[in-house]
Amino acid sequence: MNYRMIKYTLGWVMLFEACFFTVPIICAAVYGEREIFAFLISAAICAAVALVLFIGKPKSRELYAREGYVIVAMCWILLSLFGALPFMLSGVTASYIDALFETVSGFTTTGATIFTEIESLPKSINMWRCFTHWVGGMGVLVFIMAFLPLSGGRNMHLMKAESPGPSVSKLVPKVRTTALILYLIYFVLTALQFVLLLCGGMSVYDAICTAFGTAGTGGFGIKNDSIASYSPYLQIVVTVFMLLFSLNFNAYFFLIKGKIKEVFSSEIRAFLCIVAASIGIITVSIRGMYGSIGEALRHAAFNVASIISTTGFSTTDFAAWPTVACIILVLLMFIGACAGSTGGGIKVSRFIILIKGARKELKSMIHPRRVQKVTVDSREVESEVVRSVNAYIAVYAIVFAVSTLLIAFNCKDVVTSFTAVAATINNIGPGLSDVGPMENFYFFSVPSKLVLIFDMIAGRLELIPMLILFSPSTWRNK
């Protein structure tokens, strides 16, 4: 275990977090808010911690899979622990656990909140909440790798540990260049949405916060009703971009290269079919609740996009929708977005591999002598990938079941317990019943909040990096 390299990398993470505070500091300066001091102090503390971690430079910069998982898990834990400081120092909450919950929810792009009155929060605090979505959406270490050569050519272990999906591939030979391309695409899409929101009459501040929340598929709103009070045009823009950020970013790279066939992969086709079918069924089921079919379609499309992209914005209280609509939304919580996107959930690609793997096993039982292969987009899926998908689903089910049982001690009904865990481990934000789109997570006890905090980080990192921290063999030198 290369402990010095782990410490050195975490030092860069803390230094970058100190720089991240520049955004809310500028916001506080523009609006003349005293919360600027909370952010300045937080930035100074992060910079000081970074300097301490830089002491004793590593002799070797080699990183292997084990170090990659540890760095990614520790990175997100440290970011959250110190990212919570402004909430405490500004006095918007007196509970560090609540501040930590909000920060973890931000960086993991979950969007679940403990605040009951969003609009009364200082603008700089809301800006920090939304900016954590943007930072966490593509991945903190992916962002750092775009600017720094961290590990002597073995950055792929960091990217694999942090990026969502069953497998990760390089767009170009160099990992650093791949990270830079991904963030350039991310930035351009964010900027494009910002401009379109301004064209719809949204204020600069609202447009920045909304674009940050949409890009990271996070869903922290700056209004108590989330997106409901904005115009239909603005809701449509947000709907479109929630779906765009749900797609595998490799598709945009292929689009730029003119490789149209590569753009419409089986995963993206399946994703779009699921979205279209869900919108159609829900529109029919809620037609009687709204004045016109157009209005019902708009609400259905927005909330389907919000849930499957795991953003968590809302235009209406979908918890009050008919049972069939609610069941579809719950199913979408688990399906999630595409691999290689900023969205959460199990991912469409895993379901494709899981279904094809099951079909292969059934055919093998009927024709035991025939060689059966799992293929996606006319390419054979390696047995290691199939095995990792099966292992992920098994671990996911265990963590989900244990978390739901623990949360049940603090909940009055099954729906709240079940969807609270679903909303956090899939990084969605709102659930149903007491954690519906018009509710919050403030009422949970400290132990329950700690469970949900773990679920949010574990869900964002695809479980394995967090679970590896608890394995004694991880910390042995051999």
Side-chain angles (χ1 to χ4, degrees):
M1 179 73 80
N2 193 344
Y3 288 105
R4 283 196 173 187
M5 188 58 199
I6 292 174
K7 184 167 68 71
Y8 179 74
T9 306
L10 292 177
W12 278 110
V13 170
M14 294 309 299
L15 188 59
F16 269 80
E17 181 163 36
C19 296
F20 292 154
F21 285 123
T22 303
V23 172
I25 286 172
I26 293 173
C27 181
V30 169
Y31 290 98
E33 295 178 339
R34 61 180 179 82
E35 283 73 21
I36 190 172
F37 297 107
F39 290 107
L40 287 170
I41 294 170
S42 299
I45 292 173
C46 288
V49 172
L51 291 177
V52 172
L53 291 172
F54 282 144
I55 296 174
K57 286 189 177 181
K59 297 177 181 179
S60 170
R61 293 199 174 193
E62 289 294 313
L63 287 179
Y64 296 93
R66 181 171 57 165
E67 285 91 347
Y69 285 124
V70 170
I71 286 174
V72 168
M74 292 300 296
C75 157
W76 286 75
I77 292 172
L78 276 180
L79 275 174
S80 301
L81 290 173
F82 288 91
L85 291 177
F87 293 107
M88 292 291 294
L89 296 175
S90 64
V92 295
T93 179
S95 167
Y96 180 74
I97 297 299
D98 283 351
L100 182 62
F101 183 97
E102 196 75 11
T103 308
V104 170
S105 181
F107 278 123
T108 60
T109 72
T110 303
T113 184
I114 52 89
F115 291 115
T116 57
E117 184 61 40
I118 303 298
E119 293 179 34
S120 63
L121 293 174
K123 289 186 179 295
S124 56
I125 291 293
N126 263 330
M127 177 64 74
W128 175 238
R129 293 170 72 240
C130 296
F131 185 60
T132 55
H133 281 336
W134 195 84
V135 170
M138 188 59 69
V140 180
L141 286 168
V142 173
F143 179 83
I144 295 176
M145 282 189 293
F147 300 97
L148 297 173
L150 287 178
S151 60
R154 291 190 179 269
N155 286 331
M156 197 61 188
H157 291 305
L158 296 177
M159 184 173 282
K160 283 182 177 179
E162 189 176 47
S163 299
S167 63
V168 178
S169 59
K170 292 185 287 186
L171 299 177
V172 292
K174 291 185 177 180
V175 176
R176 184 181 175 186
T177 307
T178 296
L180 185 59
I181 290 171
L182 289 173
Y183 253 98
L184 282 174
I185 295 171
Y186 190 46
F187 180 81
V188 169
L189 285 175
T190 306
L192 179 59
Q193 184 189 4
F194 170 72
V195 171
L196 291 175
L197 291 174
L198 289 180
C199 292
M202 189 178 278
S203 69
V204 172
Y205 174 81
D206 286 18
I208 292 174
C209 290
T210 303
F212 281 160
T214 308
T217 59
F220 271 152
I222 54 175
K223 294 185 179 296
N224 293 331
D225 62 2
S226 189
I227 307 295
S229 58
Y230 292 113
S231 68
Y233 165 82
L234 293 174
Q235 291 177 8
I236 292 170
V237 169
V238 174
T239 300
V240 171
F241 277 88
M242 284 191 294
L243 293 175
L244 289 177
F245 283 108
S246 302
L247 302 179
N248 193 321
F249 273 54
N250 290 2
Y252 298 118
F253 178 76
F254 292 135
L255 185 63
I256 295 170
K257 287 285 189 177
K259 299 179 180 179
I260 305 300
K261 186 178 180 181
E262 298 287 340
V263 172
F264 293 99
S265 63
S266 59
E267 181 186 29
I268 289 181
R269 294 197 305 271
F271 175 81
L272 295 176
C273 287
I274 292 169
V275 169
S278 300
I279 291 173
I281 296 171
I282 290 178
T283 299
V284 173
S285 70
I286 66 173
R287 169 64 184 88
M289 300 177 65
Y290 298 99
S292 66
I293 188 70
E295 186 181 2
L297 176 62
R298 174 164 51 84
H299 286 301
F302 185 98
N303 290 284
V304 164
S306 179
I307 294 300
I308 197 167
S309 69
T310 71
T311 304
F313 285 140
S314 61
T315 56
T316 186
D317 185 7
F318 56 72
W321 282 358
T323 303
V324 64
C326 289
I327 289 175
I328 290 174
L329 291 180
V330 170
L331 292 175
L332 295 180
M333 288 182 184
F334 291 96
I335 294 172
C338 297
S341 69
T342 61
I346 293 175
K347 305 293 183 302
V348 175
S349 59
R350 282 199 178 94
F351 279 103
I352 292 174
I353 293 172
L354 197 66
I355 292 170
K356 290 196 172 187
R359 187 172 63 181
K360 172 200 164 189
E361 293 302 319
L362 288 174
K363 287 184 177 180
S364 296
M365 292 178 183
I366 300 171
H367 306 286
R369 294 184 180 180
R370 182 181 297 177
V371 177
Q372 305 286 346
K373 296 180 180 180
V374 175
T375 60
V376 176
D377 294 321
S378 302
R379 290 190 291 268
E380 183 181 354
V381 179
E382 297 178 5
S383 57
E384 181 182 348
V385 174
V386 177
R387 178 184 57 81
S388 69
V389 168
N390 293 333
Y392 176 84
I393 297 297
V395 174
Y396 179 96
I398 293 170
V399 173
F400 191 97
V402 172
S403 298
T404 304
L405 179 61
L406 293 174
I407 295 299
F409 288 103
N410 189 208
C411 286
K412 297 178 182 179
D413 63 282
V414 175
V415 174
T416 298
S417 302
F418 185 86
T419 60
V421 174
T424 50
I425 198 170
N426 294 315
N427 303 135
I428 296 165
L432 298 175
S433 192
D434 290 344
V435 291
M438 301 302 162
E439 308 297 334
N440 58 71
F441 286 69
Y442 180 79
F443 69 91
F444 282 105
S445 65
V446 169
S448 293
K449 285 175 182 173
L450 291 174
V451 171
L452 296 175
I453 286 171
F454 174 85
D455 287 344
M456 285 189 281
I457 299 178
R460 173 58 182 84
L461 300 181
E462 311 263 285
L463 302 176
I464 305 302
M466 284 296 287
L467 296 179
I468 278 179
L469 293 181
F470 298 96
S471 173
S473 61
T474 300
W475 307 101
R476 293 171 190 157
N477 287 325
K478 291 185 179 180

